[in-house]
Amino acid sequence: MIAQVTTAALVGIEAHTVRVEVDFSRSGMPSFTLVGLAEGAVREAKERVFAALRNSGFRLPPARITVNMAPAALRKDGSAYDLPLALALVAGAEMLPHESLSGVWCAGELSLDGTLKPVPGILPLALRARREGARALVVPQESAAEAAVAQEIPVFGCGSLAEVVGLLTGERTQAPQAADLASLWETSRSFPVDFAEVKGQDHAKRAVVVACAGNHNLLFLGPPGSGKTMLAQRIPSVLPPLTFDEALEVTAVYSVAGRLEPGQALVVHRPFRAPHHTVSDAGLIGGGQIPRPGEVSLAHRGVLFLDELPEFKKHVLEVLRQPLEDGRVTISRAAVSVEFPADVMLVAAMNPCPCGYLGDPRHACTCTPLQVQRYRSRLSGPLLDRIDLHVEVPAVPYGDLAGQGQGLDSAAMRAQIAAARAIQAERYAGLALHSNADLSGQWLERFCALGAAEHRFLEAAVARLGLSARAYTRVLRIARTIADLAGAERVAVPHLAEAINLRTLDRG
């Protein structure tokens, strides 16, 4: 008797349909054969599943058992196949009606006593099951809230194999898991930090507004203790809230990586990731024998903060170039090529020199010009070309630290950014552009057209500062964002002047 159960295999953050087929044959010696490109954890499932079946009260008759995981060309790994395999075995032994499994998708790891444990990648599986028109989805109880976010498909969370069989046979009744999206989105409006806590640094706050309004990458330069990290940590509080589709993308990445908190159904805040400068290239962009998301993918739709930028290994920083350009990471292995999303806003911070006090009026710099040159040369030109804003963050004067007044807070900054983003959404409707940071070529000429006075001003700036062609392009992008923040239709001289002022490294 052949029984079949449907589940899914993860490739990147996408789930692909897998059919677990079991054939019971009473002829020949009892045996167990597993085929279908099953990797280590799947092959080990035999011992877990047989023990779980025995301890749950299911006695399989002696038989020659063949298990096929189709399609055979798709690699399967992980413990999520335990539950589908157990149900297929129970149905193959005629202890469960085959029709009860029709249209039912499932996944879960089994303990030896039959208890169900959560597994990564439940949300991508639920989304695939919904697209395939599944009748129901059965998952471990701890993963039910996450799966229910997919909506339009009944999700049942169970605590054990016996509960699943009882649910399928009708001996046990259970209401589908409900997804309370309204309460989840309520938490998206609260942030533990606020820009009102940052004393002084009005110039840096303005730079954050410009960067977030145009989705520009940002580099802070300043001495130790000037507040660079404090500024960066508060950037998610002023970015536009995630849309539901974006939240599903981010949650899928965290689900596949096994980074969702217990009981967390949906990631509703834009991520903020700050890897240490000792991170490897695989840790930053993802990798491993079975590729898993790295920090740049965990920061998808959010902020990737690299503190002490020159301290990162140079080859590690170089692997960022493709993700920053394309918004995705492609990891190729001999057996598989996997793609992860990586649409991030890069925020970096660095000292102006090895000791950190170059240009600081209160501390003497102890670095030689050669040391400063070597320190800054750790950052390649192609990487810096992908950072639009270079902003000085000087030490905060005592008067600002001791002052009682508040500067610009997150709510006010968020309102400015939202207004500028709305202008860009209307301007780029129907185009393959999402923000001013995407402007290049013909689009740059079309949307950043300059008048005679603006051309004369920019020509003088290029001649005086020695701006490169790449710097010229980035000045126009930033000026377009500044004009949007001012509600101006065309880029004017004041917008260009502020844009040049936000490119510190171009000014030496």
Side-chain angles (χ1 to χ4, degrees):
M1 180 68 71
I2 296 178
Q4 179 178 284
V5 179
T6 308
T7 184
L10 293 173
V11 179
I13 65 167
E14 292 292 326
H16 296 258
T17 305
V18 171
R19 314 282 182 192
V20 179
E21 302 169 342
V22 171
D23 175 58
F24 267 74
S25 175
R26 301 303 176 98
S27 62
M29 295 291 292
S31 64
F32 182 90
T33 305
L34 177 62
V35 296
L37 205 59
E39 300 299 327
V42 183
R43 293 193 172 278
E44 294 173 353
K46 172 190 171 184
E47 306 303 329
R48 290 194 301 272
V49 169
F50 274 67
L53 288 169
R54 185 174 59 254
N55 292 322
S56 299
F58 300 100
R59 303 291 176 180
L60 297 181
R64 184 176 181 179
I65 302 173
T66 303
V67 178
N68 177 45
M69 294 189 171
L74 184 62
R75 184 174 183 171
K76 295 95 181 169
D77 190 78
S79 57
Y81 301 95
D82 289 6
L83 179 59
L85 177 57
L87 292 178
L89 289 170
V90 173
E94 300 183 4
M95 290 184 283
L96 180 66
H98 288 219
E99 57 272 15
S100 66
L101 295 172
S102 177
V104 175
W105 288 50
C106 60
E109 178 182 336
L110 285 171
S111 297
L112 299 184
D113 61 356
T115 303
L116 274 175
K117 295 181 177 180
V119 291
I122 287 295
L123 179 58
L125 183 147
L127 295 173
R128 168 61 70 175
R130 186 184 69 182
R131 287 196 295 270
E132 295 287 336
R135 180 168 62 91
L137 174 63
V138 180
V139 296
Q141 184 63 57
E142 293 89 336
S143 303
E146 176 190 342
V149 169
Q151 300 181 308
E152 300 177 21
I153 177 174
V155 174
F156 298 93
C158 297
S160 68
L161 175 61
E163 288 184 17
V164 176
V165 174
L167 180 68
L168 294 174
T169 57
E171 298 176 2
R172 177 174 172 269
T173 58
Q174 178 179 338
Q177 178 76 30
D180 189 2
L181 297 180
S183 63
L184 290 174
W185 285 114
E186 281 297 321
T187 63
S188 69
R189 301 190 180 98
S190 61
F191 295 94
V193 294
D194 194 283
F195 271 100
E197 301 159 352
V198 179
K199 300 290 187 178
Q201 303 298 10
D202 292 337
H203 175 64
K205 288 184 182 181
R206 171 64 177 176
V208 168
V209 170
V210 173
C212 295
N215 199 32
H216 303 286
N217 296 326
L218 173 63
L219 173 63
F220 290 125
L221 299 100
S226 59
K228 303 185 294 295
T229 302
M230 191 176 185
L231 287 162
Q233 289 172 339
R234 282 152 179 77
I235 288 177
S237 71
V238 299
L239 287 170
L242 288 169
T243 65
F244 181 65
D245 288 341
E246 288 175 337
L248 286 179
E249 291 177 10
V250 176
T251 306
V253 174
Y254 276 70
S255 177
V256 168
R259 297 296 189 95
L260 288 178
E261 298 293 332
Q264 185 179 15
L266 189 70
V267 177
V268 294
H269 289 106
R270 291 194 180 270
F272 179 86
R273 303 294 301 181
H276 193 260
H277 62 77
T278 58
V279 69
S280 66
D281 51 355
L284 189 60
I285 68 163
Q289 184 178 2
I290 300 169
R292 289 288 183 265
E295 291 291 340
V296 69
S297 294
L298 292 171
H300 179 58
R301 302 295 185 183
V303 176
L304 177 66
F305 177 51
L306 303 182
D307 200 5
E308 305 294 344
L309 186 63
E311 301 299 331
F312 285 78
K313 297 181 181 67
K314 193 164 186 176
H315 74 275
V316 172
L317 292 179
E318 291 306 300
V319 299
L320 274 177
R321 288 160 56 179
Q322 182 243 342
L324 292 178
E325 193 73 26
D326 301 335
R328 61 182 182 274
V329 170
T330 303
I331 302 172
S332 297
R333 295 290 181 266
V336 66
S337 180
V338 174
E339 188 174 282
F340 293 112
D343 186 0
V344 302
M345 177 182 174
L346 175 65
V347 179
M350 62 179 286
N351 296 332
C353 65
C355 78
Y357 295 110
L358 179 66
D360 190 338
R362 299 184 299 179
H363 297 84
C365 176
T366 59
C367 305
T368 65
L370 181 59
Q371 288 175 320
V372 175
Q373 181 184 1
R374 286 177 177 170
Y375 179 73
R376 295 193 177 185
S377 67
R378 297 178 188 175
L379 307 179
S380 69
L383 178 64
L384 287 176
D385 284 342
R386 288 162 173 78
I387 301 177
D388 288 346
L389 279 72
H390 317 141
V391 181
E392 288 184 274
V393 184
V396 183
Y398 177 79
D400 289 341
L401 288 174
Q404 298 298 317
Q406 284 190 348
L408 205 60
D409 63 8
S410 291
M413 295 169 67
R414 191 162 52 244
Q416 296 178 34
I417 292 165
R421 289 278 187 127
I423 292 172
Q424 293 169 58
E426 182 179 352
R427 179 193 302 134
Y428 303 137
L431 302 177
L433 302 171
H434 300 94
S435 63
N436 292 332
D438 299 328
L439 290 174
S440 62
Q442 61 172 332
W443 303 118
L444 192 69
E445 296 176 3
R446 175 178 172 183
F447 296 115
C448 300
L450 303 179
E454 288 75 28
H455 273 299
R456 287 194 299 270
F457 175 83
L458 200 51
E459 182 181 9
V462 169
R464 181 175 179 181
L465 300 175
L467 300 182
S468 66
R470 286 186 289 265
Y472 167 82
T473 298
R474 278 147 184 78
V475 166
L476 287 181
R477 289 177 180 171
I478 300 167
R480 178 66 269 174
T481 300
I482 294 170
D484 289 341
L485 285 166
E489 185 176 347
R490 296 181 62 86
V491 174
V493 170
H495 308 143
L496 292 169
E498 185 177 357
I500 292 172
N501 195 43
L502 293 172
R503 296 275 302 176
T504 296
L505 296 182
D506 291 339
R507 306 195 310 274

